[in-house]
Amino acid sequence: MPAHIRHARRWILLVLLCSGLSGCAVVAVTDAAITVVATGVKVTAKAVGAVADAVIPDDDEATEP
């Protein structure tokens, strides 16, 4: 096999491997961003629930004799 074909195959393989690694990096960054957003939503929902519980009075005390 001629040397230029072997050289071309090596470059093609290198490009394919590098493009695969960049895809993994994109997935990792996206996963981290989704985790941060999900955590923020969870904390906000808990805070809103706590404020609603504090502001809205319970009817349990009013119905007991």
Side-chain angles (χ1 to χ4, degrees), residues 1-60:
M1 185 177 312
H4 68 281
I5 293 178
R6 282 185 291 167
H7 187 68
R9 282 186 177 181
R10 287 181 187 162
W11 275 105
I12 291 171
L13 181 62
L14 180 64
V15 168
L16 289 175
L17 288 174
C18 288
S19 66
L21 291 176
S22 66
C24 291
V26 169
V27 169
V29 169
T30 304
D31 183 44
I34 289 172
T35 301
V36 168
V37 170
T39 302
V41 169
K42 183 178 176 182
V43 168
T44 303
K46 285 185 178 183
V48 169
V51 169
D53 286 342
V55 172
I56 299 172
D58 290 338
D59 289 338
D60 292 340

